[in-house]
Amino acid sequence: MNSSIEALLGDDHESLAQLLVELNTQLTRSNSVRAFELLDLFWARLAVHIRAENLHLFPALANTPAARFTGKGGLPTAEEAHNTLLSLRSDHDFFMKELAQMMKVARAKDGRDEVKALKKRLAVIKKRLEVHNDLEEKQVYHWPSLLLDEKSATALSKRLRHELENLPPRFA
């Protein structure tokens, strides 16, 4: 069951990446109406993903006894894990602030100049998101399978899935 956490969150990354490609395509085509719809959806979907990690995954890892982080067998030291989680949370804050600013621009005006500005901002988000996701997928998402017993991992997986499925009502 532990690997289901990796698959669940990794699949969500992939889905978000596809949405980002579609959003970028619509911005490139200057299809501002569709681009703004996709921006809103991407913002909501990423917020849900971040909420799942911040409320459930990261606390489960942070509350694991430090002695379990051995620095061996795919695990970091406790200090490395702590620093990684802090870095990821910082990225989460960056993504949400940037996307909120993009939404503010998108809602305020609906013109070609804004599309260019949004496309530029989106490129910065995309680049940082790729590095962020790589760190999560190659390291952090593996940690529960190395640290948690099956019962805890199953419960964590259920909580994560619940959060990922809990989109705002406007997307239902």
Side-chain angles (χ1 to χ4, degrees):
M1 186 60 160
N2 289 331
S3 65
S4 72
I5 292 170
E6 294 171 41
L8 177 66
L9 295 173
D11 288 350
D12 201 49
H13 277 180
E14 187 176 317
S15 175
L16 284 162
Q18 290 171 354
L19 185 55
L20 193 58
V21 167
E22 187 178 349
L23 169 56
N24 194 51
T25 298
Q26 295 306 316
L27 286 172
T28 299
R29 293 180 181 163
S30 295
N31 184 352
S32 59
V33 173
R34 180 65 181 144
F36 297 159
E37 290 171 355
L38 291 170
L39 176 60
D40 188 32
L41 178 59
F42 180 75
W43 183 38
R45 290 273 323 281
L46 187 59
V48 165
H49 183 92
I50 287 171
R51 182 180 63 212
E53 291 178 347
N54 285 350
L55 290 180
H56 302 292
L57 178 64
F58 294 173
L61 296 171
N63 293 329
T64 299
R68 308 252 347 246
F69 289 94
T70 61
K72 299 174 185 168
L75 284 171
T77 64
E79 182 179 354
E80 291 167 338
H82 175 76
N83 291 337
T84 298
L85 295 178
L86 284 177
S87 175
L88 293 172
R89 283 184 187 273
S90 175
D91 285 345
H92 288 173
D93 291 344
F94 169 80
F95 298 137
M96 288 297 95
K97 286 177 186 172
E98 283 296 306
L99 287 165
Q101 283 300 104
M102 289 177 71
M103 287 302 299
K104 195 176 200 178
V105 168
R107 287 179 179 145
K109 298 179 182 174
D110 187 18
R112 292 183 190 274
D113 292 338
E114 288 75 28
V115 169
K116 287 180 185 177
L118 292 174
K119 190 165 171 44
K120 192 173 186 178
R121 259 193 147 134
L122 192 64
V124 173
I125 291 170
K126 182 180 183 287
K127 185 175 182 179
R128 187 162 176 181
L129 191 58
E130 287 170 352
V131 173
H132 174 91
N133 289 351
D134 193 56
L135 176 60
E136 287 182 335
E137 291 171 10
K138 290 184 177 172
Q139 293 183 39
V140 178
Y141 291 174
H142 297 286
W143 297 349
S145 67
L146 302 171
L147 296 166
L148 303 177
D149 60 50
E150 190 168 341
K151 181 179 177 185
S152 298
T154 299
L156 175 58
S157 182
K158 286 180 183 177
R159 290 191 308 272
L160 291 168
R161 182 174 307 283
H162 173 75
E163 291 297 341
L164 294 176
E165 293 172 352
N166 193 15
L167 279 170
R170 70 184 182 275
F171 298 109

